[in-house]
Amino acid sequence: ASAQRPEDVIQRYMEVVAGVQDEDCIICMDQLSNPSGYETQPTEEGGPSILPGTVGKFIKCGHTLHMLCMLAMYNNGTKDGSLQCPSCKTIYGEKTGTQPKGKMEIYSIAQSLPGHPDCGTIQIIYSIPPGLQGPEHPNPGQPYTCRGFPRFCFLPDNDKGRKVLELLKVAWMRRLIFIVGTSSTTGEPDTVVWNGIHHKTEMLSNMSGHGYPDPNYLDNVLSELASQGVTEDCFKPP
Ligand code: APR
Ligand code: ZN
Ligand code: ZN
């Protein structure tokens, strides 16, 4: 979590629009010409606060909504200094998650994956030990379990596979690969589970659907990474 004022985060990525809007706010569903139902927060650190009637427009995607509604959504989340447009999901800033502490290791395997006969294999090993949930988790102070760790994952060792690996390293550092929640496979709550960025955990067959061959896998995982704000732009200077 970052120490910056939530109001400043909103104003970094949204500009104030003047004039009555003939549209609805996607958060509160009321018209933009009516004020947001949220109340202006007294800001602890001083500085300007956002008024209920203020309408904001996202700087890249251009979607408009009550700035105070967006502030309420931000304050309800991890408050990491990033915003996501609730209309089109465009991410502003660096989205981070709540993955618990652990390690990501990378190894090389000479054997090829089914469907990728021309190259060797990259093996990723994720290890996360059990621990106590922090304030960012569903049940702070309660323990979380870690099933099936270390988890072994596989990528083809070609250009596209190596690109996916570099983006997975960014996603790992931003704590986006795992989340503490309820496993959809086992129903167990308060456990460390995958967070929507699919990994291949089966190397030489595809009986689980999480193995090889799968000709669409690398493209699919690239778009899952992009939906969390992890793209090749992460490697470009700002
Ligand atoms: N390998 C990779 N991904 C999986 C697997 C698997 N064996 N099983 C499910 N997933 C995907 C699902 O498709 C879903 O998108 O993980 C996502 C979250 O599913 P959950 O069941 O909630 O995840 P989790 O409990 O973390 O893991 C299920 O994955 O790696 C294995 O050992 C792990 O057996 C466990 C399984
Ligand atoms: Zn609103
Ligand atoms: Zn948008």
Side-chain angles (χ1 to χ4, degrees):
S2 146
Q4 51 204 324
R5 289 174 73 237
E7 289 82 0
D8 292 342
V9 176
I10 303 299
Q11 277 152 346
R12 183 176 311 137
Y13 302 118
M14 299 186 89
E15 56 200 27
V16 175
V17 286
V20 177
Q21 310 292 309
D22 191 20
E23 283 169 66
D24 293 348
C25 171
I26 189 169
I27 295 178
C28 69
M29 300 300 171
D30 200 354
Q31 287 178 20
L32 290 175
S33 51
N34 294 334
S36 167
Y38 289 99
E39 281 171 35
T40 298
Q41 314 269 326
T43 63
E44 284 166 33
E45 305 86 345
S49 43
I50 296 170
L51 299 173
T54 308
V55 172
K57 176 178 169 171
F58 275 105
I59 53 176
K60 276 196 277 175
C61 65
H63 287 112
T64 49
L65 63 166
H66 292 121
M67 274 191 166
L68 214 45
C69 286
M70 193 60 226
L71 179 64
M73 183 176 270
Y74 177 78
N75 282 331
N76 219 9
T78 51
K79 294 198 250 189
D80 61 2
S82 77
L83 295 183
Q84 185 162 28
C85 171
S87 293
C88 69
K89 312 296 177 204
T90 296
I91 291 169
Y92 295 85
E94 273 185 25
K95 177 182 160 145
T96 57
T98 61
Q99 169 188 287
K101 280 194 169 45
K103 69 181 184 209
M104 175 186 192
E105 294 169 287
I106 293 131
Y107 299 94
S108 183
I109 298 177
Q111 191 171 4
S112 297
L113 293 167
H116 298 280
D118 302 332
C119 63
T121 299
I122 298 164
Q123 182 185 42
I124 305 170
I125 306 182
Y126 294 112
S127 306
I128 297 183
L132 282 185
Q133 299 182 48
E136 71 274 39
H137 294 135
N139 293 301
Q142 295 299 306
Y144 56 82
T145 58
C146 299
R147 306 298 178 194
F149 285 90
R151 293 191 184 184
F152 297 81
C153 311
F154 306 95
L155 289 170
D157 196 355
N158 56 22
D159 285 349
K160 207 168 191 175
R162 284 189 288 268
K163 175 171 138 185
V164 168
L165 175 64
E166 291 312 305
L167 294 172
L168 288 175
K169 289 181 191 170
V170 172
W172 172 263
M173 286 188 310
R174 293 184 184 175
R175 303 177 65 193
L176 295 167
I177 306 273
F178 295 98
I179 193 169
V180 175
T182 300
S183 168
S184 51
T185 304
T186 65
E188 185 182 19
D190 300 301
T191 191
V192 176
V193 297
W194 295 115
N195 183 35
I197 300 171
H198 277 89
H199 283 67
K200 291 299 191 186
T201 52
E202 205 181 329
M203 182 177 172
L204 297 176
S205 53
N206 193 12
M207 300 199 311
S208 61
H210 302 287
Y212 290 93
D214 179 350
N216 301 319
Y217 172 62
L218 295 175
D219 287 326
N220 290 345
V221 70
L222 284 172
S223 71
E224 290 168 348
L225 284 158
S227 75
Q228 304 264 19
V230 181
T231 64
E232 278 184 295
D233 292 352
C234 301
F235 306 124
K236 292 185 190 140

